[in-house]
Amino acid sequence: MNLNAESHSVPLSDGNHIPLLGFGTYGDPRTTPKGTTSECVKLAIDVGYRHFDGALMYFNEYEVGQAIREKIADGTVKREDIFYCGK
């Protein structure tokens, strides 16, 4: 079985397809060292994740965004391929 974003996604009304499997970005802000979230998100992008779940209350949205920006800048991924679902 070939697990990838194209074959395991749901079509949206605008023609895009959102991957069914997302990478959760929660880490207890009291015990998660700074930089950990950023490194995890970059690794997730490297292995194929394109759907990310986050929230303001996780206190790490900056690191998630920073990691995504770095991966766009280095050519690993395009912005239009990334889905960030915040709450």
Side-chain angles (χ1 to χ4, degrees), residues 19-74:
L20 289 172
L21 185 61
F23 184 82
T25 61
Y26 176 75
D28 186 336
R30 295 168 294 187
T31 59
T32 304
K34 287 200 181 292
T36 301
T37 300
S38 180
E39 290 305 310
C40 289
V41 169
K42 287 191 277 187
L43 226 115
I45 290 172
D46 287 342
V47 300
Y49 280 93
R50 299 297 182 261
H51 176 183
F52 296 88
D53 175 72
L56 180 64
M57 65 182 283
Y58 296 171
F59 300 101
N60 63 8
E61 286 184 311
Y62 177 80
E63 285 192 39
V64 174
Q66 179 183 19
I68 292 170
R69 284 189 301 275
E70 287 179 22
K71 286 300 181 176
I72 291 169
D74 75 9

Side-chain angles (χ1 to χ4, degrees), residues 10-24:
V10 175
L12 300 174
S13 62
D14 66 359
N16 286 303
H17 287 75
I18 187 168
L20 289 172
L21 185 61
F23 184 82

Side-chain angles (χ1 to χ4, degrees), residues 1-2 5-7 10 24 28 31 44 49 71 73 76 78 85:
M1 175 170 26
N2 185 12
E6 291 79 34
S7 65
V10 175
D28 186 336
T31 59
Y49 280 93
K71 286 300 181 176
T76 301
K78 296 178 190 168
C85 300

